Amino acid sequence: MRKIFVGALVLFSLGVAARTARAQASHDADEPRTYSGPPLSLAAALREAQDRNPELIALRRQFERTGFRSAEQRFLSPPMLEAQIWQWPINTLNPANTNMYMFMASQDLPGRGKRALRAAAAGTQAQLAEADIAVRAQEIVNGVKQRYTELFPARRSIDVHLASLGVLRQLADISQAKYAAGRASQQDVLKAIVELSRVHDDVITLEQQADLAAARLNTLLDREPDAPIGPLTGPREQILTASTEDLQRLAIAHHPELQRMRVQIERAQADLAVTRQEYNPDYSVQAGYLLMPHVTDAWLAKVAITWPRAPWSRGAIDARVAGANAEVETSSAQLRSMESAVRLSVQEAYIRVKAAERRAGVLRTTILPQSRQILDVSRIGYQADRVAFPALVDEERTLLGAELDYSRALSELEQATADLEQAIGTDLAPGMRGAVDISEVGR
């Protein structure tokens, strides 16, 4: 009689624990995570980052400042106005008792073509600042893509775990019914409860990852770190159709770093042209009026010319020209080196994209459907007492892992694509990627 009472008590305790776990699981499964705030697509996040990122705003202000330097170089230097008193006797403080007053105006005139070359050199500085903006903008764009593709799989993994609670709840019901009928052990019921608790623990970890990713994304968007981010538009499984040769040609033509290096070469060439112009003389003109109270007044005029090719000064110009030539050659060599690095980056990113495509395809077409089928067969076998409960739980874990792997594969594919676009320096054209039918994916 005592054994019957203890058994009933154990059955009652297990039933209460199972119902409590199932109630919590049912609540989480029936009410999926919702996120406050307006929906945020990747395109909207990129636009917001480009408009509001403080670093980009500072670079644009710097570019506006450098844009005036070219116009500045087109003007002459300010004229010099001069007044002198000559032969002021030491025995008087009255300047009217002097014999001569001289009023002069002088103007420095750079050699022919020097102002235009200096303006062109200053213009390349503005182009270089613009190229710096493009380089940094591309880095920020890639950062937004990476943070976005970190946040979405974290949220997607939470949804997958919550969906798995429904299956675990069914397994818990089956194990409790079999235990009540004397066809299963207490361990089966307890194991189902433990699995439900384990999923809840995993959800806590995933929520932490999602919160961290959201804070990093908000920082790039110049928001408060804890600002709400609404529902996301997740990555889609797509196939890259462009060849690596096409992608490398696109990268050579559009990569911001390469464009910056080309501007750097133009700047070095402009500096070289300005330096070579130093061999040409500069001029100075001066005119004035000589006022002499006791004799006839007179006009004054003066013209001066520099002698840059003087033996004692030409060596300095030769050294500056040699240095400017070396700068042009260095920039050209750096451009060739960077082109090789860009080609390698494109090839590596292309390999990663294709590998991520194959992995996502295998998970979607093979591993996921097989895992579902095996779980269904194992569930039927457990109900017919042909499969042990631990094996049934293992199959549920396998399916959960496959679904998480597919979500991670999509994220890796999107991140690899973002790296490819960063290596190219521009977004992939719509015709370079093909859509994949994923309607069969999902629990």
Side-chain angles (χ1 to χ4, degrees), residues 34 36 76 87 150 190 241 304 330 339 351 359 391:
T34 57
S36 60
L76 294 173
Q87 297 181 358
E150 286 177 2
L190 293 175
T241 57
T330 300
E339 285 179 349
I351 293 173
R359 184 165 183 265

Side-chain angles (χ1 to χ4, degrees), residues 172-280:
D173 291 338
I174 296 173
S175 62
Q176 185 179 3
K178 291 185 64 175
Y179 178 75
R183 296 166 51 204
S185 64
Q186 299 175 10
Q187 287 81 359
D188 289 357
V189 180
L190 293 175
K191 191 170 184 62
I193 297 173
V194 170
E195 285 300 312
L196 288 169
S197 300
R198 184 181 64 82
V199 171
H200 285 294
D201 182 66
D202 291 342
V203 169
I204 294 174
T205 302
L206 292 170
E207 287 177 338
Q208 176 186 349
Q209 296 175 1
D211 291 341
L212 291 174
R216 298 187 184 108
L217 180 58
N218 278 328
T219 301
L220 289 174
L221 302 182
D222 195 30
R223 299 179 177 180
E224 294 295 330
D226 59 347
I229 297 179
L232 304 179
T233 303
R236 296 176 298 169
E237 186 180 348
Q238 294 183 321
I239 299 296
L240 181 63
T241 57
S243 65
T244 180
E245 292 80 7
D246 293 337
L247 296 174
Q248 289 184 4
R249 283 194 295 268
L250 191 63
I252 295 301
H254 295 282
H255 197 283
E257 287 282 0
L258 295 180
Q259 292 179 341
R260 186 187 185 281
M261 286 303 306
R262 295 186 184 104
V263 174
Q264 181 70 30
I265 293 175
E266 293 178 5
R267 178 189 177 188
Q269 292 172 340
D271 290 342
L272 175 59
V274 170
T275 305
R276 284 175 174 168
Q277 281 292 318
E278 292 183 13
Y279 287 116
N280 298 329

